Amino acid sequence: MRVLLLAATILTTAPALAQSERAAIGTGVSASERQNSAERPLRFATTAPSSGVLVIPMAGASDLSHVPTALRAAVTSAVETAAFKAAADKTLSLYGVGGYHRIVLIGVPTGPLDSAALADFGGRAAQETRDNRQPVAILAGALASAATDPAAHVALGASLGQYRFDKLKSGVDAPAVQPLTIVAPTGEATFARDHAGVADGARMARDLITLPSNAKTPDSFVASVRAQFAGVPNVRITILDEAEMRRRNMGSILSVSAGSRHPARMMIVEYRGAGDAAPLALVGKGITFDTGGISLKPGAGMLEMKGDMAGAAAVMGGVYAAAKRGAKANVVGIAALAENMPGGNASRPGDVVRTMNGQTIEIISTDAEGRMVLADANQYAIERFKPAALVNIATLTGAVITALGDDYAGLFARDEALAARVQSAATASGESVWRLPLHPSYAKDMESPIADIANGTTKSGPGAGRGAHFIGFLTPQPTPWAHIDMAGVDGADESLPTMPKGARGYGVRLFDALVREFEK
């Protein structure tokens, strides 16, 4: 394996694209053919401009504390005329008032705002003013919060909220690139140090999820992520190809890629910021397209399966955020990458495969592939890195959507302290989780008459819990382990304040907050 040294970053060279992969990508588009159109540059200032677009927070119709004195009479009259209640995330626009092209009032929760509410305010401000060609200023200097430098969190939300994916469109009407200014006495240094990398990690994840699968194979995923990390200090990237995975007896992940002409890869990104301390391991499902394999999915909804690698994207974005801010922790991110296709060499229901640690799996459904790639990745993480804790994230089951909708990811854990840390990180980041059980009955449900465990069952029941049990069964004890099933929260049908319609990049902010928990 050749190693290329770049500044303080150690990068392992990725295998060259196979001829078949080059041909496949050549018939469509390339992940790197051009960039998305430019976003508004973020600026900080201590005083508001006297023209352009001005965004003002309001906590209820009677809250005029953030409105400049010169505008207060006009704003009061407009609020009363419109009967604007200023509920959280509600907006009211005024035009041609006080020399401004537009004034936007945005409702925020009453009382001190937590970091997630601050980011939501900034995100809604960016989205609400997206089509304005004038410079935009957001009044954030007097927001009450227990968070350090509240304006930095507003800036994070504004950065996340203005994301767009238009790199594959022709003749795009370029949006405004006039600056977006956060008006506050402090916050600029905190944003640059602690939050800019989070926004960039989320952009990377959203770009990867949104790309079509003819521009997103295991190898091209590796290339995109490696380019993002180029030059970032204290990072080492290692790629396991299929030959290396066979040598390590990773029959579980290899069974998933067997039907595809695009070979599996395992991408390992190590960030070291805490000496010899045991790392936090983050392991994500990276199915670059999921047909279901021989257990073919219905055509309806298969389009969404280009995003079945959202867990791997979240892991890479989370490690990137930690590395960019120089976190005082050690973090290992692993993307278990494969394409699940019904080719002539594809795995079949009824096949038995052996995992890295020698246990056997009976394949009940080839569409239960996410848990298969995670099984070998988890065992590799524990054997190679001996982590302090291991957290999986995956678009694993439709069952979790039935249980929790699109408001929460499902959290499963066999370690209470780790579960508490994940829940704390979810609250701080605004990326919500809901704890679900690992019931002892799931072990009975997943028994196989010919192997150590089955990857599914033909019986109806708690699919999300059974999937989590399978992964936990193949994750060696006593490593603290948790699993996040994000199938319901990976995309949005409508714009949320920090998440424009489409790929959310869920998990990047949660993992950034979780790494901070391990820095305490």
Side-chain angles (χ1 to χ4, degrees), residues 126-481:
Q127 290 194 30
E128 189 69 20
T129 59
R130 177 173 176 157
D131 294 332
N132 287 110
R133 296 288 175 177
Q134 295 78 17
V136 175
I138 303 174
L139 298 185
L143 289 167
S145 174
T148 302
D149 277 344
H153 296 277
V154 174
L156 171 61
S159 185
L160 292 168
Q162 65 170 330
Y163 171 82
R164 64 178 66 87
F165 186 96
D166 56 14
K167 63 164 59 178
L168 302 182
K169 289 188 174 184
S170 301
V172 173
D173 182 16
V177 291
Q178 294 287 341
L180 192 160
T181 300
I182 309 298
V183 181
T186 63
E188 183 172 11
T190 300
F191 172 73
R193 182 186 66 241
D194 290 348
H195 303 301
V198 180
D200 288 341
R203 285 189 191 89
M204 173 175 65
R206 290 170 178 177
D207 279 355
L208 286 166
I209 297 164
T210 308
L211 276 172
S213 291
N214 61 333
K216 179 175 59 189
T217 63
D219 270 334
S220 63
F221 180 104
V222 166
S224 294
V225 173
R226 188 171 60 171
Q228 182 84 15
F229 274 94
V232 179
N234 303 316
V235 169
R236 178 185 178 93
I237 296 180
T238 305
I239 312 302
L240 303 187
D241 62 13
E242 288 199 343
E244 180 65 16
M245 285 189 261
R246 288 190 188 93
R247 191 183 74 79
R248 294 175 179 273
N249 300 313
M250 293 182 175
S252 189
I253 186 172
L254 291 172
S255 73
V256 176
S257 67
S260 174
R261 62 182 176 180
H262 302 299
R265 297 286 182 255
M266 196 170 291
M267 183 174 198
I268 303 100
V269 180
E270 304 169 57
Y271 165 71
R272 299 191 66 84
D276 295 328
L280 167 65
L282 307 174
V283 183
K285 170 187 173 182
I287 305 300
T288 56
F289 194 81
D290 181 21
T291 66
I294 295 297
S295 306
L296 193 67
K297 292 178 180 290
M302 195 185 288
L303 169 67
E304 298 175 2
M305 292 301 102
K306 72 175 186 177
D308 210 20
M309 35 54 66
V315 164
M316 295 296 106
V319 177
Y320 182 82
K324 286 293 287 184
R325 68 178 174 83
K328 303 303 182 184
N330 293 334
V331 188
V332 175
I334 299 180
L337 302 164
E339 185 181 60
N340 189 23
M341 299 290 283
N345 197 45
S347 299
R348 296 152 292 232
D351 286 358
V352 174
V353 299
R354 193 177 298 276
T355 67
M356 181 180 172
N357 72 357
Q359 293 175 295
T360 54
I361 301 168
E362 181 185 11
I363 299 174
I364 304 301
S365 169
T366 62
D367 194 25
E369 83 300 325
R371 62 198 69 179
M372 301 287 285
V373 302
L374 292 176
D376 278 331
N378 282 5
Q379 291 170 41
Y380 175 83
I382 290 172
E383 180 179 300
R384 171 69 179 81
F385 298 105
K386 299 176 176 54
L390 189 154
V391 180
N392 290 128
I393 188 167
T395 48
L396 202 78
T397 67
V400 80
I401 304 175
T402 302
L404 300 176
D406 61 0
D407 297 309
Y408 297 93
L411 170 65
F412 301 85
R414 67 181 181 207
D415 182 270
E416 292 305 313
L418 179 57
R421 281 176 152 175
V422 173
Q423 289 173 313
S424 175
T427 299
S429 66
E431 295 190 325
S432 301
V433 299
W434 192 271
R435 183 86 179 268
L436 294 173
L438 283 169
H439 196 277
S441 68
Y442 301 162
K444 181 71 173 176
D445 296 340
M446 304 293 281
E447 286 182 348
S448 165
I450 60 173
D452 293 318
I453 192 170
N455 81 335
T457 174
T458 58
K459 300 176 183 178
S460 62
R466 288 168 175 167
H469 166 77
F470 175 92
I471 299 168
F473 179 88
L474 293 168
T475 302
Q477 301 263 20
T479 301
W481 165 79

Side-chain angles (χ1 to χ4, degrees), residues 83-106:
F84 181 56
K85 303 302 182 185
D89 201 35
K90 299 299 182 182
T91 66
L92 176 66
S93 290
L94 313 176
Y95 293 88
V97 174
Y100 292 96
H101 172 78
R102 181 185 178 196
I103 293 175
V104 184
L105 307 176
I106 298 182

